[in-house]
Amino acid sequence: MFDGMTAETLARMQFAFTVSFHIIFPAFSIGLASYLAVLNGSWLWTKDDRYLTLFNYWKKIFAVAFGMGVVSGIVMSYQFGTNWSVFSDKTGPVLGPLMAYEVLSAFFLEAGFLGIMLFGRERVGDKLHMFATAMVAFGTLMSATWILSVNSWMQTPAGYSINELGQFVPEDWWQIVFNPSFPYRLVHMVLAAYLTTALVVGGVGGLHLLRNRQDAPARRMFSMAMWMLIFVAPLQILAGDFHGINTLEHQPVKIMAMEGHYESHPDGAPLILFGIPNPAEKRIDYAIEIPKLSSLILKHDLNAPLAGLDTIPDEDEPPVAIVFWSFRIMVGLGFAMLGLGAWSVLRRIRGQLYEDRWLHRVAIVMGPMGFVAVLAGWITTEVGRQPFTVYGLLRTSDSLAPVAAPAVAASLLAFIVVYFFIFGAGTFYLLRMMNKPAGTLHLGLKDGPIRTAGITPVQQAEADATPGE
């Protein structure tokens, strides 16, 4: 199946496969944790039972998605010590502490309060339960902050020096954590997580509205999701524009690949909407383009010059076709989200938000598109950085451990089989939960923790029935 592939290619495929599974669950849990905090706070403020019903519904879905995200993340970390041990050795002094901070300050925060959020309302009271819910939401955002700091440093390294062993060592932790691309990347990813969650919530709400237009919790979740889309989608487009300008400054080759600019444009570069990258001939075939618009977007000047891939060595060129198309998928879906939000505003103004069945159908179709956009954005970011792991400083080929191709192929095949079985089953279970209306008493997840020691429910019931003994 993998005959003829090098160990480097197989190792890259393995990491891409595992991280693709992993990234979709945190993208969902980051947004869903914040949504749960909003629902819980809204119920405490208004005492509207629809918010409490939705909170109890989505917290169970969050628990399953959170668990799947944790499991998929653990597997990734092992690859740093197996397939990519040279990378770990060279970057460990810088990246190791950042990843440890993520575990200590963020993951422990999430795990510590998760049980209270899921099962503790009757045990700790509403106020402490709200605090726990807010801490879980804050913890997910902190996790994203540290991990994106790690990834951003690999994209735009700063605050380091290189010792006699060829290792990156820290010189200024402020520059390392707050490296040039970090603020833009963090905002872009968090907004992407909120949009992803809004699309899922809107899709589920649309599904249940198709079945019953009078379903009160479905109406509320659909309305909230559409509000999120119309407010956050424009912000995401604006954030993407700032992120693109920052990337042009620090990673110009990535921008060349994203834009499909094989040739330099001294008098203003066109925006290529569509086309077929032709790496052999170094051009975009059948290009549909708007003259000088790329220069206007990236440099805010129609006639601003933009360099092309003809200015860099071939060995430093990323895989243009992959970056070119993944970028367009991400941008196209971003505008589709904005369109769905605008459609919902129009129907809301006309009082038809809960009656427009085509709007609900489109919301269902758009439900998983946030995950597709996140994956497309990740592919654009990571493949566009190639052939480097630390941009401009450490090549991917020099980051690989001395592993044999057959061994990597065997582990990759095992990952494929196990992942599709485990995460396929988990995803199927999540979809089954979402298929049930929000008022359903049990979605398949018990409403309390399983007791493995101490007083059992039967013993407690017997004690309550005979208080004098």
Side-chain angles (χ1 to χ4, degrees):
M1 181 178 179
F2 302 116
D3 291 343
M5 293 187 179
T6 64
E8 179 187 342
T9 300
L10 290 167
R12 289 175 61 184
M13 289 173 60
Q14 184 178 117
F15 197 86
F17 177 78
T18 54
V19 77
S20 294
F21 270 87
H22 173 66
I23 196 172
I24 62 177
F25 295 110
F28 184 40
S29 61
I30 290 169
L32 191 53
S34 295
Y35 182 53
L36 287 171
V38 170
L39 288 173
N40 205 32
S42 298
W43 178 73
L44 290 174
W45 181 263
T46 66
K47 295 302 179 181
D48 187 335
D49 287 340
R50 289 175 295 182
Y51 291 117
L52 182 60
T53 298
L54 289 175
F55 177 84
N56 291 329
Y57 178 76
W58 285 105
K59 77 175 183 181
K60 298 174 184 178
I61 295 171
F62 172 82
V64 177
F66 181 83
M68 293 171 70
V70 171
V71 171
S72 61
I74 292 173
V75 174
M76 286 173 49
S77 63
Y78 282 100
Q79 294 177 72
F80 288 120
T82 53
N83 296 345
W84 303 101
S85 60
V86 176
F87 169 81
S88 298
D89 174 64
K90 291 185 179 297
T91 64
V94 171
L95 300 187
L98 296 180
M99 298 182 76
Y101 297 154
E102 188 269 336
V103 173
L104 293 174
S105 68
F107 182 71
F108 281 10
L109 187 67
E110 298 171 71
F113 287 99
L114 181 62
I116 299 175
M117 186 190 82
L118 294 177
F119 309 115
R121 186 187 296 276
E122 302 302 326
R123 294 170 174 82
V124 302
D126 290 335
K127 292 183 179 179
L128 184 54
H129 182 265
M130 180 66 226
F131 177 76
T133 304
M135 287 300 99
V136 171
F138 179 69
T140 59
L141 291 173
M142 283 291 294
S143 289
T145 299
W146 287 116
I147 293 302
L148 284 167
S149 179
V150 170
N151 183 266
S152 297
W153 185 87
M154 294 164 63
Q155 306 280 344
T156 53
Y160 68 93
S161 63
I162 300 177
N163 65 15
E164 64 278 3
L165 299 177
Q167 296 174 313
F168 297 88
V169 293
E171 292 289 342
D172 186 333
W173 280 109
W174 286 106
Q175 289 186 29
I176 290 171
V177 174
F178 298 99
N179 57 80
S181 66
F182 167 70
Y184 305 93
R185 203 176 301 277
L186 176 64
V187 171
H188 199 51
M189 183 63 209
V190 171
L191 291 178
Y194 287 160
L195 285 171
T196 298
T197 301
L199 287 172
V200 173
V201 173
V204 174
L207 173 67
H208 294 299
L209 285 174
L210 283 175
R211 295 172 176 173
N212 178 10
R213 296 181 187 176
Q214 304 307 316
D215 186 331
R219 291 163 74 100
R220 182 52 52 94
M221 79 169 84
F222 187 76
S223 176
M224 295 176 75
M226 293 302 106
W227 277 126
M228 179 65 76
L229 281 181
I230 195 58
F231 282 111
V232 177
L235 290 177
Q236 180 69 308
I237 293 172
L238 181 62
D241 179 63
F242 283 113
H243 188 14
I245 295 172
N246 176 264
T247 304
L248 177 64
E249 178 182 356
H250 297 282
Q251 295 177 291
V253 178
K254 183 186 292 187
I255 290 292
M256 297 173 192
M258 290 162 57
E259 297 292 327
H261 290 162
Y262 279 107
E263 298 179 353
S264 299
H265 297 275
D267 300 317
L271 177 66
I272 302 174
L273 300 177
F274 300 103
I276 301 176
N278 186 339
E281 301 294 333
K282 301 289 185 180
R283 66 170 185 259
I284 302 293
D285 294 333
Y286 311 109
I288 301 174
E289 58 187 40
I290 301 175
K292 301 192 176 187
L293 187 56
S294 184
S295 289
L296 180 64
I297 293 173
L298 292 169
K299 291 194 172 182
H300 301 162
D301 182 351
L302 284 170
N303 298 310
L306 283 178
L309 293 168
D310 54 357
T311 62
I312 66 165
D314 288 348
E315 60 269 20
D316 292 341
E317 183 179 299
V320 176
I322 297 174
V323 180
F324 180 85
W325 280 113
S326 62
F327 175 67
R328 275 148 187 78
I329 291 171
M330 178 187 68
V331 172
L333 288 174
F335 280 101
M337 296 172 199
L338 179 62
L340 178 60
W343 186 0
S344 72
V345 168
L346 178 62
R347 307 315 282 173
R348 192 188 299 271
I349 292 173
R350 297 183 177 180
Q352 298 174 330
L353 182 66
Y354 309 118
E355 284 73 35
D356 191 334
R357 299 181 69 82
W358 276 109
L359 175 62
H360 303 157
R361 292 187 181 102
V362 172
I364 294 172
V365 173
M366 287 293 294
M369 291 300 108
F371 300 112
V372 177
V374 167
L375 285 172
W378 173 80
I379 291 170
T380 301
T381 296
E382 302 306 310
V383 178
R385 186 185 61 204
Q386 296 303 317
F388 299 99
T389 48
V390 180
Y391 188 74
L393 298 171
L394 180 62
R395 302 183 78 89
T396 305
S397 57
D398 296 329
S399 304
L400 186 68
V403 292
V408 183
S411 61
L412 174 57
L413 186 60
F415 273 125
I416 293 173
V417 173
V418 172
Y419 266 51
F420 274 107
F421 177 75
I422 294 178
F423 291 105
T427 302
F428 177 74
Y429 185 62
L430 282 172
L431 293 175
R432 282 189 60 187
M433 296 171 74
M434 294 176 187
N435 190 50
K436 298 178 181 179
T440 304
L441 187 59
H442 298 290
L443 296 178
L445 186 69
K446 291 184 179 294
D447 292 328
I450 298 174
R451 294 168 175 83
T452 56
I455 298 176
T456 66
V458 174
Q459 290 174 323
Q460 185 64 52
E462 293 175 351
D464 292 341
T466 55
E469 298 181 5

